[in-house]
Amino acid sequence: MPEKLNTPEVRKGELFAVSLTLIESWFPIFAFFSVAALGGLHAYFFSLLVSVMFLSGWWWLRNRPAEILKVSAYKDLALTSFFITALFGLTFLGLQYTSATNVAIILFLQILFTYLFLGRRQEEKLSARHTLGALLMTVGALLVLFPGEFNLNLGDALVLMAAMIAPIANLYQKRARSQVSSETILLVRSVIALPFIYLLAWTFEATPSWQAIQQQWLWLGLTGFLVFFVAKMLWVEAIHLLPIAKVNALFALAPMMTMGWSYWILHDVPSLYQLLGMAPILLGGYLITQK
């Protein structure tokens, strides 16, 4: 839906976006441990399995089963499932070769691809001030990502591909949300993804022992419940109420938060370029939320 300024729906969308940003900033940290122990695809599979258990119960309690019969939503649900599965598959694989901070920052660059892919769509256009804010945040992210040289390792390249997919995935999620609930979208896309991710994990990665899986229950649980259930529910609702570009822009604080968590938990000391990049990210975040 087109955004109207300063309405309760817009404010609700902004609250959802800020809340999911706080949760999503922890995603690279949670996933880092499970990926290191189980492999990227296995970590994705078991995290997704946890989320399906929570989603199934919530979907039933919210009385959503009848939405499965809505044939008109099938195309958007199928395309959402395909693109989201590819997005997170690439992200989990990328975590095997790059840092948690880099993953957070590269995923933020989806705002740039949102402008490139969706900028001509009327409902995605922002004002000059909003555009300036988005550009400042992009510059800040680039400072953090490329400290003095342009060099992408394999992990960065995989996550960059995920960032390119994100705007298309969000577009189809937005379309699906106009016909069915967030619960149905998340459950359908997760259930469809499970067998494909399992097959890829079984083909390309060594199968972890049950003991190794049990040792990662905390990180798998946090990723599955907080990220794939709570945060994604907030994400689908946010892009339903706001332009995708604006939700991505509000999400700009996540890389900076992840940088702080990485320093605190993983002892990953930020570079000078990473610290310099915070200024345009914060200024851009201020501009993008103005009326």
Side-chain angles (χ1 to χ4, degrees), residues 125-152:
K125 290 183 179 179
L126 300 178
S127 69
R129 179 179 291 184
H130 291 161
T131 301
L132 175 60
L135 290 175
L136 283 171
M137 286 186 288
T138 300
V139 170
L142 291 174
L143 279 173
V144 177
L145 183 59
F146 304 115
E149 61 180 6
F150 187 85
N151 183 28
L152 279 178

Side-chain angles (χ1 to χ4, degrees), residues 246-259:
K246 184 168 185 177
V247 177
N248 284 333
L250 290 169
F251 189 65
L253 291 176
M256 188 175 61
M257 293 180 184
T258 302
M259 191 186 303

Side-chain angles (χ1 to χ4, degrees), residues 51-285:
S51 74
V52 166
M53 291 189 291
F54 285 105
L55 281 168
S56 299
W58 185 246
W59 181 73
W60 189 266
L61 287 173
R62 295 279 290 171
N63 197 26
R64 304 301 191 190
E67 294 182 346
I68 291 295
L69 302 177
K70 198 160 188 177
V71 178
S72 60
Y74 283 8
K75 177 183 176 181
D76 292 326
L77 285 172
L79 289 170
T80 296
S81 302
F82 172 77
F83 286 114
I84 290 294
T85 301
L87 188 161
F88 279 104
L90 291 168
T91 301
F92 274 88
L93 287 173
L95 268 166
Q96 296 179 120
Y97 306 102
T98 191
S99 68
T101 298
N102 272 24
V103 168
I105 296 167
I106 298 173
L107 285 178
F108 161 72
L109 293 179
Q110 62 186 279
I111 189 171
L112 176 62
F113 299 112
T114 298
Y115 274 89
L116 292 176
F117 301 158
L118 306 179
R120 294 183 180 276
R121 296 175 56 83
Q122 183 63 38
E123 66 269 27
E124 296 302 333
K125 290 183 179 179
L126 300 178
S127 69
R129 179 179 291 184
H130 291 161
T131 301
L132 175 60
L135 290 175
L136 283 171
M137 286 186 288
T138 300
V139 170
L142 291 174
L143 279 173
V144 177
L145 183 59
F146 304 115
E149 61 180 6
F150 187 85
N151 183 28
L152 279 178
N153 62 32
L154 176 60
D156 292 341
L158 291 171
V159 181
L160 186 61
M161 291 172 61
M164 292 178 180
I165 292 172
I168 308 303
N170 289 329
L171 176 62
Y172 286 111
Q173 281 194 114
K174 193 178 182 84
R175 290 179 177 176
R177 180 59 185 83
S178 66
Q179 302 184 72
V180 295
S181 66
S182 302
E183 295 90 342
T184 297
I185 294 171
L186 293 175
L187 182 61
V188 167
R189 82 183 201 190
S190 299
V191 169
I192 290 176
L194 277 175
F196 291 101
I197 297 302
Y198 179 78
L199 180 61
L200 289 172
W202 180 79
T203 304
F204 295 107
E205 293 180 352
T207 303
S209 65
W210 178 243
Q211 182 180 10
I213 297 169
Q214 287 180 310
Q215 290 174 347
Q216 298 302 310
W217 71 267
L218 175 61
W219 306 116
L220 295 173
L222 289 172
T223 304
F225 176 70
L226 286 180
V227 178
F228 286 161
F229 175 42
V230 178
K232 294 313 172 189
M233 195 80 71
L234 293 171
W235 180 275
V236 175
E237 287 301 309
I239 64 174
H240 176 59
L241 297 170
L242 301 173
I244 296 171
K246 184 168 185 177
V247 177
N248 284 333
L250 290 169
F251 189 65
L253 291 176
M256 188 175 61
M257 293 180 184
T258 302
M259 191 186 303
W261 308 142
S262 295
Y263 175 74
W264 177 37
I265 296 175
L266 305 178
H267 308 294
D268 185 6
V269 180
S271 68
L272 175 62
Y273 279 90
Q274 290 174 325
L275 295 174
L276 289 174
M278 288 186 185
I281 288 176
L282 288 174
L283 179 58

